[in-house]
Amino acid sequence: MRLIILLFCLSANVIFAQELKSPEEFLNSDYGLEFTPHHQLVSYAEHVATNSEWATFEIYGYTNQDRPLVKLTITTPDNLDKLESIRSNHFEQIEKNNGAADKAIVWLSFGVHGNEAGASESSMNVMYQLASGRNAQAKEWLENTVVIMDPCINPDGYSRYSHWNRNIATSEVQPELYAREHHEPWPGGRVNHYLFDLNRDWAWVTQVESRQRIKKYNEWLPHIHVDFHEMGHDAHYYFAPAAKPYHESITEWQYDFQVEIGKNHAKYFDEEGWLFFTKETFDLLYPSYGDTYPMLNGAIGMTYEQAGHSRAGRAIFLENQDTLTLRDRIDHHSTTALSTIEVASKNSDKLNFNIGKFYSSNPEAQYMSYIVKRPENDNLDELRLILDAHGIEYGQAGGNSTGNGFNYKTGKEETCSFDKGDLIINTDQKKSVLISTLFDPEPGLEDSITYDITAWSLPMAMGLDACALTRTTSSSDFEPYRMDLQRNEKATAYAIPTEHSTSYKLVTALLAKGVKCRYTKKDIQYEDRSIKKGAVIITQADNRKNENWRKTFFNTCEELQIPFINLNTGFALSGPDLGSRSVQFIDTPKVGTISGTGLNGNSFGQLWYYFEQELKYPLIIVDKDNFGASALADLDVLILEEGWYNLSSSQMNEIDSWINKGGKLITIGSATQKFLDKDGYGLKSKENTETIEKADAQPSNYAGEERQYISGSIPGSVIQAEMDHSHPLCFGLGNSTYHSIRAGSRIIPMQQNVRNAIYVPNNYVSYGFIGSRVKEDNNNSLVAGVENKGRGTVIYLADNPIYRGFWKAGNRLLFNAVFLVEE
């Protein structure tokens, strides 16, 4: 009887294995010859899990365009049966470093940039190699290794690219560089629905894909994470070890293990005669990458870059007259994926010991706690969203106290005071390294040649009043304020204080619902309440024809949890009365922007996201080539975003005429340069430009040209700016300084014929790297200026106030520009 049962089981296993198809067998498309639609990629992943006892399939979320975000977990059937026990032991090892775990956890992420499509294509081959049971080595590795695979991090971007390619692809591959399939149209598939670069969003979790993925990632905190990318088609393959600079928190062990993995990859690439490079270009400083973020969470985080990208199409001629095919790209990525798993399996003991050591060592930090001031009735929701996403613990002060540390607003080491209820984050917890990285004002920079921005401190990014203390601070559980909204149905008006960090969102919500609003340009004392300039005021007089306005107002405040002040009279004890011209009516403007070739897709997407998701206010988007007088005639506000585009002379003349008739133009970042030294505008470049003296000429230094270049650049630093607090552009931005993130070396000086509402003072404070040749140019430079032109207004925002969607400090600045500033 036992023999019969055994034969039956063996027969069933053979049939089971035969049902699992390779990508070539399963797909309707020609795998490796053309790009696979996302829905078929998902179907194949589901097929693998359904037909292999070595894999499970999970939909962990959805994109903005309702495409599924999926992951597979692949290991032996026995390991799958006790997967939760493996995860539990893994976290016990992390928290106690007690030898509780013996499995290696490897997370493979494919296709964060959608038009680097060879990455997601290769995921299917890797699934098959691991789950089919036909790869004897892989079966052995999986005995002590759990592999988690995300085959397509960015489904919307991948679909944008792959559908375009399939729509225009010819029946015969055309590898000539000038052929159509090698020239992807704007905005390209690199980015997600809102044109955000998801590989810059790991730490900030602004996007729906990031928030859902990070939740799953932190449920495992793997030993190894690989982010599969593609780069220019004439490059070769890049794998770890990474280039310098490394973030100072990255350990020697993490670097050494990258070297070990790299050597294993090199062995396979050398056997095949494939070229590769290491230790160049791709550094580990910026904390929001798919390699650095895992590093800061104890993993071996790595980027793998295959030559290809959208420029490669299905096949492309190379500089050596060879041809790079999609199949080549799949093979190269598959090789490094399997090689990574091999090294993990052979070193599971080392991986477990060192991740435990990473979390238990509690490295010395410059600051031991971070205190964030909590305005009245403000729960700091946007900050807490980030903290919660990363599993960072926080509490609140039990009473008033002081401590020595760094004041983020003044930029000085001094005695800081904090009050009962203020938010406290101590570093004596599991995520101490990540906390210090995200909060410290100045990251340690071992080399100025870096791939991205060099400063990002969260309190500055979010415009928060905060201090970093050199001691641990006692705290109790954080208690969100529960709004006790005193609904006075007979009040003459209601005021929304500017102190609440997201009160501006209430304004757009009310405007969208037909409730009319005002704001005060001056401080007001009403009865026993002081109201600061910039406060929004909703009056009975303005809304008397709307019988439901009070109910709408109360419900919206309740929904958004934003407090208000009941005003029982329009008579002020000091300051303007409600009927004063200083209590300005807020229009419901029609706002537009342009899109199309030449626009910086990321910057355009940030504006789109800001209006659609932050303000929830309509933004009319006009294609650049169709933009003209007819569109302008229908708009009240035009926002020009960053990019490399040109507007025709007729378009510029139409904008000029429209402003003079009463339109409001807002320029962001490099778009401001279009109006520099232009006739009819007050914005001027630095006068008396210095000529280069003969003595400044230097002999050639070819090897040093990269450093010479960066001496004149600002890759991304934070600059502490001063404000004209009386100007509506600055209302609600706090009572001290404004932190602007500056990326780019084209600096505009303070102006004579433009109001310098926000500016960089002489001998300014900055964080991150600024090239020596442009450091002085920032002195007395413009951040935000306002010019009256005819009956209209031009607002110049020299730096992008909503940079990458995580620079929340600028959200209110842009709101003010759109809704409050008239002069």
Side-chain angles (χ1 to χ4, degrees), residues 350-421:
K350 289 182 183 178
L351 289 167
N352 277 295
F353 172 77
N354 281 283
I355 200 169
K357 182 179 178 181
F358 180 92
Y359 281 106
S360 63
S361 60
N362 198 18
E364 289 188 13
Q366 182 179 5
Y367 302 109
M368 300 302 295
S369 62
Y370 303 90
I371 316 295
V372 181
K373 301 290 287 183
R374 200 171 165 194
E376 183 180 359
N377 293 319
D378 195 333
N379 287 321
L380 302 172
D381 290 336
E382 292 181 327
L383 173 63
R384 292 194 302 121
L385 182 149
I386 293 176
L387 301 180
D388 291 341
H390 301 304
I392 294 173
E393 299 169 2
Y394 55 90
Q396 67 181 39
N400 302 346
S401 186
T402 60
N404 294 325
F406 176 82
N407 186 321
Y408 286 88
K409 284 293 185 182
T410 65
K412 298 177 181 178
E413 296 283 343
E414 57 190 35
T415 300
C416 300
S417 62
F418 53 95
D419 303 322
K420 181 179 180 180

Side-chain angles (χ1 to χ4, degrees), residues 81-93:
D81 286 343
K82 53 186 182 184
L83 195 62
E84 185 53 36
S85 175
I86 291 171
R87 193 178 75 88
S88 177
N89 291 341
H90 175 59
F91 273 89
E92 184 177 339
Q93 175 66 21

Side-chain angles (χ1 to χ4, degrees), residues 49-330:
T50 301
N51 292 281
S52 171
E53 57 184 349
W54 293 66
T56 61
F57 172 88
E58 177 186 356
I59 296 176
Y60 67 83
Y62 289 88
T63 69
N64 290 291
Q65 296 177 12
D66 297 321
R67 292 187 175 89
L69 295 160
V70 307
K71 70 180 182 70
L72 283 85
T73 303
I74 305 176
T75 186
T76 65
D78 182 57
N79 286 341
L80 284 178
D81 286 343
K82 53 186 182 184
L83 195 62
E84 185 53 36
S85 175
I86 291 171
R87 193 178 75 88
S88 177
N89 291 341
H90 175 59
F91 273 89
E92 184 177 339
Q93 175 66 21
I94 283 174
E95 292 165 5
K96 299 179 180 178
N97 199 22
N98 61 359
D102 60 356
K103 301 292 189 292
I105 314 299
V106 177
W107 190 298
L108 306 178
S109 293
F110 298 84
V112 67
H113 294 149
N115 60 1
E116 299 171 11
S120 288
E121 293 289 342
S122 66
S123 72
M124 290 181 280
N125 187 46
V126 176
M127 292 177 211
Y128 181 70
Q129 293 294 326
L130 294 175
S132 66
R134 294 188 174 101
N135 186 321
Q137 284 184 310
K139 289 175 67 175
E140 181 181 342
W141 301 332
L142 292 175
E143 289 291 334
N144 70 340
T145 305
V146 175
V147 178
I148 301 167
M149 291 183 60
D150 189 329
C152 188
I153 286 182
N154 180 9
D156 292 347
Y158 175 81
S159 295
R160 187 184 302 124
Y161 172 71
S162 59
H163 284 307
W164 166 78
N165 188 281
R166 289 175 67 88
N167 280 330
I168 61 92
T170 53
S171 59
E172 295 292 328
V173 173
Q174 296 177 342
E176 294 83 3
L177 178 59
Y178 54 80
R180 181 170 59 166
E181 74 170 281
H182 304 295
H183 299 276
E184 180 188 16
W186 191 90
R190 175 184 178 90
V191 286
N192 76 341
H193 172 75
Y194 283 109
L195 310 192
F196 273 62
D197 186 334
L198 296 179
N199 194 39
R200 270 74 176 169
D201 197 45
W202 281 73
W204 320 129
V205 290
T206 69
Q207 298 301 288
V208 65
E209 296 92 342
S210 304
R211 290 193 291 271
Q212 294 171 107
R213 181 179 68 257
I214 287 295
K215 179 180 179 181
K216 289 299 177 181
Y217 185 91
N218 278 283
E219 287 177 3
W220 275 101
L221 291 178
H223 298 103
I224 294 176
H225 178 265
V226 181
D227 200 15
F228 290 87
H229 287 257
E230 291 190 312
M231 53 185 165
H233 68 280
D234 262 326
H236 302 293
Y237 199 98
Y238 163 82
F239 49 73
K244 291 185 177 182
Y246 283 25
H247 191 275
E248 58 190 345
S249 299
I250 293 171
T251 67
E252 185 177 356
W253 146 257
Q254 289 173 305
Y255 173 79
D256 289 343
F257 203 76
Q258 278 202 344
V259 173
E260 192 163 343
I261 291 174
K263 288 180 177 179
N264 203 61
H265 297 345
K267 175 183 67 177
Y268 292 114
F269 273 57
D270 288 340
E271 287 176 0
E272 296 290 342
W274 298 337
L275 294 177
F276 60 88
F277 67 97
T278 65
K279 303 181 289 295
E280 295 182 57
T281 306
F282 304 102
D283 62 68
L284 290 169
L285 179 68
Y286 179 60
S288 205
Y289 282 143
D291 51 9
T292 315
Y293 176 84
M295 282 284 211
L296 299 170
N297 283 276
I300 311 301
M302 294 171 291
T303 290
Y304 295 168
E305 294 267 0
Q306 162 63 41
H309 206 276
S310 66
R311 185 56 62 89
R314 294 167 295 168
I316 192 168
F317 290 141
L318 299 177
E319 59 186 357
N320 62 1
Q321 309 307 311
D322 199 352
T323 303
L324 176 68
T325 67
L326 178 57
R327 185 72 237 189
D328 292 332
R329 292 150 65 184
I330 291 170

